[in-house]
Amino acid sequence: MGDVLALVEARLRTALGEPDARAAVTFLGTDRIEVLRFRGGHGDGSAADIVRYATLGMSAHPMTDPTAALADPVKGPRAELVLSVRAGLADTDKVLRPLAVLAASPQVEGVVVAPGASLDVGDPLWPAAPFSSVLVAEPGGLVEDLELDAPMDPVRFLPLLPMTSNEAAWKRVHGAQELQERWLTQGTDLRDPLRRSVTLD
């Protein structure tokens, strides 16, 4: 487990630079989840005003289908979560605990977190945030998948896109693809921690 997390942290550092802060959260009956904070603008062309939060610990164990009779300790999807927001507009550092809650959900609730899924923490992601849920986006853009020795599945770094309650409700009816197209056509800045809901009809 430790070896996997060491490789995961090395991949995050390669992609995002050195973390400037980290916090650890432990929930009853689960392994420790860390959240690392990275500031943008470290020479890869990333904007200096972007702050990224990445979980570390979710990938220690494979996620297991809740309908499976027996959990496989080796095979199965592995993932970490990455959230990118504009810095200085809101107290987004308070997102550390909600992110850790989401990262612990496969252990706690037996869910498999995959692209297209909605995750809801039930409270604002940070103080006065218009979002309590996120859409899990496709991996591979910001941080490349991390291949592990067979028979282990690769670790995928899943971007999280905050959704307003209206957007989350609309997505449940129309699907993730439709919501992402709506964001795209309206030029939505998904990194704006104070943005309003897109127009939905």
Side-chain angles (χ1 to χ4, degrees), residues 67-84:
T67 62
L70 196 63
D72 191 313
V74 177
K75 295 171 72 176
R78 295 174 189 256
E80 297 288 355
L81 308 175
V82 182
L83 174 71
S84 301

Side-chain angles (χ1 to χ4, degrees), residues 81-188:
L81 308 175
V82 182
L83 174 71
S84 301
V85 292
R86 295 204 177 280
L89 300 178
D91 188 8
T92 54
D93 281 353
K94 293 291 197 303
V95 79
L96 298 179
R97 186 171 180 82
L99 273 184
V101 168
L102 296 179
S105 61
Q107 286 187 70
V108 176
E109 301 171 29
V111 297
V112 176
V113 177
S118 301
L119 304 176
D120 196 320
V121 296
D123 291 304
L125 293 174
W126 49 83
F131 324 103
S132 65
S133 61
V134 293
L135 174 65
V136 182
E138 292 289 338
L142 187 62
V143 186
E144 289 184 16
D145 292 356
L146 172 65
E147 298 292 335
L148 300 175
D149 293 337
M152 291 189 287
D153 288 26
V155 177
R156 306 171 85 197
F157 298 87
L158 302 173
L160 301 181
L161 307 176
M163 293 187 291
T164 66
S165 56
N166 284 349
E167 290 168 343
W170 199 84
K171 181 254 175 188
R172 281 194 293 273
V173 176
H174 299 278
Q177 187 67 38
E178 289 286 331
L179 177 59
Q180 288 179 293
E181 287 179 9
R182 188 60 59 100
W183 281 336
L184 192 61
T185 57
Q186 296 189 28
T188 308

